[in-house]
Every structure is written in structure tokens, then in C-alpha cells.
Amino acid sequence: MRTYSEYSDDARFLEHGSFFQGNPYDSRFVNIRYDKASDRAVVTRCMHVDGIVDPPPDKSIAQRAALLAAIGDGTSRLVNYPSSADPQSTLSCLRQLGIAIEKDGEDILVHGKGLDGFSAPDAPLDCGNSGTTMRLISGLLAGRDFDCVLTGDASLRGRPMERVAGPLREMGARIALNAGCAPMRMERGPRLHGITYRLPMPSAQVKSCVLLAGLRATGRTTVIETLPSRDHTERMLNLAPVEAEGARHIPIEGNRSVPARTWTVPNDFSAAAFFMVAGAVAPRGAVLLRKVGLNPTRSALIGVLEEMGAVIRIANREESGGEPVGDLHIEASSLRGVRVDGARIPLLIDEIPILSVAGALAKGRTEIRDARELRFKETDRIGAMAENLRRLGVSVEEFDDGLAVEGPAALQGNIVESWHDHRVAMAMAVAGLMADGETVIKDASCAAVSFPNYWETLASVAL
Ligand code: S3P
């Protein structure tokens, strides 16, 4: 049997994108071994990245869909809802708030109870590792007639929550934090009132928190963003942003009911990104990633990789649930260094760990700046990637707001840390595929936060 790239001339790719029936070689456990007992992944060099991947469903969109379904009037259907840990945390919090959620075949049915339908939880709501769950649900829980507490794992309890508590307090909420972090104690209080809020940092989570709070508040709420970030919430609520004075003003009228509906979740661009880079930096081969969300506020990595010299084609473009989707085809390419900063950063914020791996393998200097927000993710992703790439022999300069790498580096396998951050673990696996010797990734199971079968999937294309 031949591999995917041997078939991938244009006509066949466009017409028969799905004819390939799995990997012809049982490469599993060759380039990548996951050891459950030690929770370590061991990765060795591959010569060829080749195959077809359906990335997992998009967790950002799925989590928003679940929240909107819960406050919707009646039963909503979630199609292609992810089994990954973060979106499951959203569902378990909603269940604790009295929302009935059931499986219907592959779909999830959420029996929404309207804007005021949540009931008091009998225990703290555990958001797990999910910043999106905590920050967005806090917008829906402020100004209720019950008290509740939002908590999460050690990583989430170390992340800044004043950024959502601040604007919610301006809207009238009573929230107590622990040194700026979770547990977030949301006290019962009067219904919130609308405000105009200028985001101090580009953050789709903060933006979405305020917009969701505005949905139930009295009067109009307007969020102003100077640097656009992912716009899923605006799309899903059919909001109409206005450009004024160099900023995006996003108004939402309060006390607006949300109709029940079917939400179809596209596959996750941020999960696809690891395979895009693996396909581009491998010596040979090509990868096809199917039905991937291509929202321009999420997919700036495509333009950056193209600027680096990657050969990327997009086919089967369509619209699904208000979001553009398509198939991405990436060929082994010779990459050169790039500078990424300014307004592009929020549009690829979650892809920076894997972009720094691409930079280390590209010819010349890759510099990523204006990305200080990365220090507040599941771990400090600037520090984490700088340290891990150095352990593989890359020359890295670290800045407060980013990093620069010199490539192409002759990567040498070593033991690296994930710091329990899914994107750090997954990015280092791609680096390991291009390194001599063994790269050992510690606490590798954290990939399941967004990509439950990452290790098998990567192994199946790394030949
Ligand atoms: C997300 C927004 C981003 C991103 C996170 C998911 C969202 O966070 O890093 O993975 O779903 O809105 P910030 O809003 O904090 O930048």
C-alpha cells in the first residue's frame, strides 16, 4: 500500500480526500511510545510524516456552545462535542448547576432552562484545568440569587482571575478571590447592570465573560477591544461589532433570551497546528487535516507558516455552524525564520509553543514578541518553551514578552517537562520527532486536556 503523499496530486486530493484507509505501516511504538506507568512519552526521530488526521473538536467553540445551550430556552443538540477534559469540565459544572445533559448517540443534548434557570450547586464547581470554563461561567453566575464557588486544579488556581472579577464587579457582582486567583467566591446579589468595558489585554476569555454577563444584565453592555482576539462568542450570539476610533466595539443588549438550537463544532485548529508543523518540518511527506475550523481570528498560523516557506493548501472550504471550516494539506517544506508580533499574536496565541518549535527548525532567527499573555496560560509558556528547547540544544533568547530561537538547530533528545501543560507536551513531541536520540516528555497524559488520543495519532503519521 502506498502512503497518502504518493496519491496527493491536486485532483486526487480534492476529489478523493477520504479514500486513504489508515496508515499502511504499523508505526505505533516506533517513533513514539507512551508509557502509562511513568506517564512519559518517549519520542525518536522520524524520517517521514504522512497521513490523514481528523483533529479533535474545537474546545473553545464547544465550551461556548454548552454554556449557551444551558441558558437556552429548551433542548439544544451539540454535534461533534469533544471528549477532551476541558469541555467535559464545562459539562460537569453545568450539571452541578441543575442542567440536565445526556448523550444521544454521538451527540449531546443539553436541556436548557433559560437565562435564570441555574440552581444553587451543593459543592464548589470544579473547572479542572479549564480557564475558559472558569472565566466564561463566572460571567453567567455573577448576579444570581445563590452563592457559589468556582475552583480548579493547581494550575488553574494559580491563574489570574481579577481580569474577570474586575469588570464583573463594575457590573455589580460580589466576588472574592484568593490573592487574585481562584477559588472565586461568587456571592448572591442583584442582577448585574450593563457597562462599557475596554479590555486591558487582548483576551477572548475576558471579552466573552463580560459579553455573557451582559446577556443577563439590565441595559446594554459594550466590550471594546483594540487588538481583536478569537470572535466565537460574537459569532454565536450574532453580535454586530462596530469599528470606531481604531477599536472594535461589541455591544450586547441585556436580558436577551437564547433560543435552543443545534451547535455543530468544527475540528480544532489549535490541535491541527501540531500536525501542520510536523508535516512542514519533516524531511518528507504530507499531512491532510480534515474539517478544521479556519476562523481568521484563530488561524493566523497558516499565514505565518506560509511566510516561513511552508507549502499549505486548503480544500473543501465550507461554513459549519457560523464558522468557516476546510481541509488543510501541508507538505514537507524548507522553512526560514520569521518575526511575529503585534496584532498577529492574539490570533495565534495557543499556537506559539509549536511555532517556536517550527522556528528552531527553520533557517535563521525566529522572534516572537508582544506575547506576555503566554506567561499566564496553563503554565508560563514562554519560560517552559525556552527551557525545553534549550534542553534539546536550541539557542534561545528569552524576553519578558516572548522568545527568539536560532535555527536550524541540530536537536538532541533529552528529558523535557510538560509542566502539566497540554500544548507544551504536544509541541515538544513534534520537536522530539526531529531530534537525535530519545526525547522523554514528562507528565505526557496532560495532552488529553484538549487531544485525548494525541500520542497514538502522532505515532500513526510519524513514520
Ligand atoms: C480561549 C482564549 C485564549 C486561549 C484559550 C482559550 C477561549 O485565552 O489561550 O486557550 O476559549 O476564549 P485568553 O482569552 O486568556 O487569551
Side-chain angles (χ1 to χ4, degrees):
M1 206 196 276
R2 290 185 294 169
T3 60
Y4 170 70
S5 60
E6 291 169 273
Y7 289 102
S8 64
D9 57 279
D10 274 359
R12 279 181 171 274
F13 167 56
L14 296 174
E15 287 170 31
H16 303 291
S18 62
F19 71 96
F20 183 81
Q21 299 295 323
N23 198 308
Y25 311 115
D26 188 7
S27 66
R28 228 168 300 181
F29 313 118
V30 175
N31 300 107
I32 299 176
R33 262 182 304 120
Y34 170 67
D35 177 49
K36 202 169 175 193
S38 62
D39 194 14
R40 289 177 174 204
V42 181
V43 183
T44 55
R45 183 183 285 287
C46 78
M47 299 314 297
H48 202 162
V49 169
D50 213 321
I52 298 176
V53 173
D54 294 325
D58 188 296
K59 74 183 175 81
S60 272
I61 295 173
Q63 290 172 298
R64 285 162 170 77
L67 295 173
L68 291 178
I71 55 163
D73 292 326
T75 300
S76 288
R77 179 176 292 274
L78 310 182
V79 179
N80 200 32
Y81 197 84
S83 62
S84 50
D86 274 6
Q88 293 300 318
S89 294
T90 314
L91 295 185
S92 70
C93 289
L94 290 172
R95 284 197 182 97
Q96 272 185 273
L97 290 163
I99 302 298
I101 298 173
E102 56 179 325
K103 284 204 92 170
D104 182 31
E106 296 292 296
D107 300 346
I108 305 276
L109 297 180
V110 178
H111 300 287
K113 288 176 150 181
L115 281 183
D116 295 323
F118 289 158
S119 41
D122 52 13
L125 300 168
D126 184 358
C127 303
N129 191 243
S130 175
T132 303
T133 300
M134 184 173 284
R135 294 196 176 121
L136 269 58
I137 215 168
S138 70
L140 288 180
L141 287 172
R144 297 264 165 187
D145 56 5
F146 54 80
D147 299 338
C148 63
V149 176
L150 293 170
T151 189
D153 68 9
S155 154
L156 187 54
R157 280 186 278 114
R159 296 179 66 186
M161 291 300 150
E162 188 55 43
R163 52 180 60 197
V164 285
L168 291 176
R169 285 193 200 106
E170 272 185 48
M171 298 176 85
R174 296 181 193 141
I175 302 172
L177 300 176
N178 178 18
C181 296
M184 286 183 82
R185 291 175 198 287
M186 322 274 307
E187 286 171 30
R188 76 189 67 197
R191 191 173 277 272
L192 304 185
H193 54 82
I195 57 166
T196 294
Y197 188 69
R198 184 177 282 270
L199 291 169
M201 78 290 284
S203 166
Q205 291 179 348
V206 178
K207 169 173 67 176
S208 302
C209 167
V210 178
L211 290 173
L212 290 176
L215 193 60
R216 227 182 121 254
T218 54
R220 171 185 289 195
T221 296
T222 303
V223 178
I224 304 175
E225 60 177 4
T226 22
L227 286 181
S229 60
R230 65 188 67 187
D231 65 359
H232 305 305
T233 305
E234 297 93 300
R235 284 174 184 253
M236 294 168 95
L237 287 169
N238 278 320
L239 303 181
V242 196
E243 298 293 331
E245 293 155 5
R248 253 175 111 237
H249 294 235
I250 311 156
I252 184 163
E253 297 304 329
N255 213 1
R256 208 186 97 155
S257 65
V258 179
R261 53 164 285 184
T262 296
W263 296 104
T264 303
V265 182
N267 291 339
D268 194 344
F269 182 85
S270 300
F274 301 100
F275 292 83
M276 293 174 68
V277 170
V281 299
R284 288 193 303 281
V287 188
L288 173 63
L289 298 153
R290 292 189 297 200
K291 293 204 182 296
V292 179
L294 295 175
N295 180 320
T297 62
R298 287 289 294 285
S299 54
L301 181 73
I302 297 177
V304 170
L305 287 176
E306 282 176 338
E307 198 180 321
M308 295 176 84
V311 181
I312 303 176
R313 278 176 294 155
I314 304 177
N316 301 327
R317 282 184 188 270
E318 57 178 320
E319 176 123 338
S320 171
E323 294 276 343
V325 299
D327 296 342
L328 285 168
H329 177 266
I330 298 94
E331 280 173 30
S333 315
S334 268
L335 300 186
R336 51 186 176 272
V338 69
R339 184 182 166 100
V340 186
D341 56 15
R344 279 206 286 191
I345 293 294
L347 314 181
L348 46 65
I349 189 74
D350 288 344
E351 287 65 71
I352 293 176
I354 189 62
L355 175 60
S356 62
V357 171
L361 293 157
K363 189 160 184 266
R365 182 178 171 90
T366 291
E367 187 164 332
I368 300 161
R369 300 300 294 269
D370 302 322
R372 193 160 188 279
E373 273 297 304
L374 280 187
R375 297 212 181 262
F376 310 111
K377 298 296 176 188
E378 285 82 333
T379 190
D380 165 2
R381 287 184 177 159
I382 296 175
M385 290 310 294
E387 162 83 24
N388 279 343
L389 288 172
R390 280 192 191 115
R391 286 194 198 178
L392 297 198
V394 183
S395 159
V396 184
E397 201 178 336
E398 187 177 334
F399 306 99
D400 182 46
D401 67 345
L403 47 78
V405 290
E406 294 294 335
L411 300 184
Q412 184 60 50
N414 200 346
I415 299 178
V416 296
E417 311 280 339
S418 66
W419 285 282
H420 298 277
D421 182 322
H422 55 133
R423 299 201 199 281
V424 172
M426 293 191 280
M428 291 316 295
V430 175
L433 287 175
M434 302 299 141
D436 281 340
E438 284 188 349
T439 299
V440 178
I441 299 152
K442 287 162 72 178
D443 307 306
S445 60
C446 64
V449 158
S450 60
F451 203 144
N453 56 353
Y454 181 69
W455 301 106
E456 300 93 298
T457 309
L458 190 62
S460 75
V461 298
L463 310 175

